[in-house]
Amino acid sequence: MKKIAVFPGSFDPFTKGHENVVQKALNLFDKIIISIGVNSTKSSYYSLESRKQHILSLFENNPKISVQSYQTLTTEFCKENKANYILRGLRDVKDFEYERSISHMNHVLSPEIETVFLITAPEYIHLNSSIIREVGKNGGVIDNFVTNAKILVLTM
Ligand code: ADP
């Protein structure tokens, strides 16, 4: 059976930390679906289409990777795509507490789907999408934190 993982997130934007998690995961899975969760009550800073194009640009030569958006429960999205793993990144204890709760919830919903956590390389531990958004909003350059940042387009 092929090992298919869904890597869910807001990716607003997709940072070098996320990129590092995917690079590490490529050794573990046959296919990784980077999945942008769309929440109708939460507006995003960068447009959905540009977030998709941005992530695709980072992995365009890799047939193992695809990018999709979804609006359902993550576990339902996994089933629709025959994914038996959820991939998540961990930076620190705060991430761990939060991620543990989500993974327990997902386990109750769909025990056949296993969550796999990868710890990001130390140089990316400080990268946080919401802080990077603040830098962007205030006119700062985000190229040190996001590869190919020029592809991203603001929603307004
Ligand atoms: P969410 O809105 O689901 O938290 P994010 O886009 O913020 O989505 O993050 C998606 C996943 O990537 C989460 O598992 C998060 O902990 C992880 N992550 C975020 N930033 C980093 C980073 N710098 N290094 C490694 N993992 C990260």
Side-chain angles (χ1 to χ4, degrees):
M1 199 165 84
K2 283 207 161 167
K3 289 195 168 71
I4 303 176
V6 159
F7 182 31
S10 316
F11 305 128
D12 191 26
F14 191 92
T15 71
K16 290 187 180 180
H18 296 128
E19 209 178 325
N20 181 248
V21 167
V22 173
Q23 289 295 354
K24 289 178 180 221
L26 279 170
N27 298 323
L28 305 174
F29 300 107
D30 300 306
K31 193 176 157 194
I32 299 172
I33 308 169
I34 301 173
S35 310
I36 309 174
V38 179
N39 184 338
S40 50
T41 59
K42 215 170 104 184
S43 59
S44 67
Y45 183 60
Y46 294 106
S47 78
L48 176 60
E49 191 48 39
S50 76
R51 278 182 283 155
K52 261 191 210 166
Q53 293 306 326
H54 173 241
I55 300 170
L56 279 172
S57 79
L58 305 175
F59 303 105
E60 61 188 348
N61 293 320
N62 198 320
K64 282 179 147 187
I65 292 183
S66 63
V67 184
Q68 287 197 49
S69 57
Y70 72 104
Q71 281 190 296
T72 53
L73 272 177
T74 302
T75 48
E76 288 308 308
F77 181 75
C78 287
K79 285 179 203 166
E80 283 164 21
N81 289 282
K82 300 189 170 29
N84 20 27
Y85 299 93
I86 294 174
L87 171 66
R88 294 288 281 179
L90 285 183
R91 286 163 293 191
D92 51 21
V93 183
K94 223 170 96 233
D95 270 354
F96 172 73
E97 299 279 350
Y98 176 68
E99 295 293 337
R100 182 176 53 184
S101 306
I102 302 179
S103 80
H104 282 165
M105 179 59 78
N106 284 335
H107 180 77
V108 172
L109 293 169
S110 299
E112 72 283 10
I113 299 171
E114 198 62 59
T115 305
V116 174
F117 301 102
L118 292 181
I119 294 181
T120 191
E123 60 267 40
Y124 304 121
I125 256 160
H126 63 288
L127 295 184
N128 174 311
S129 293
S130 58
I131 297 175
I132 293 172
R133 278 200 299 277
E134 283 307 310
V135 174
K137 273 182 199 170
N138 290 297
V141 177
I142 62 167
D143 299 40
N144 283 335
F145 321 117
V146 177
T147 312
N148 288 354
K150 61 180 183 307
I151 292 179
L152 291 162
V153 175
L154 300 180
T155 41
M156 62 204 101

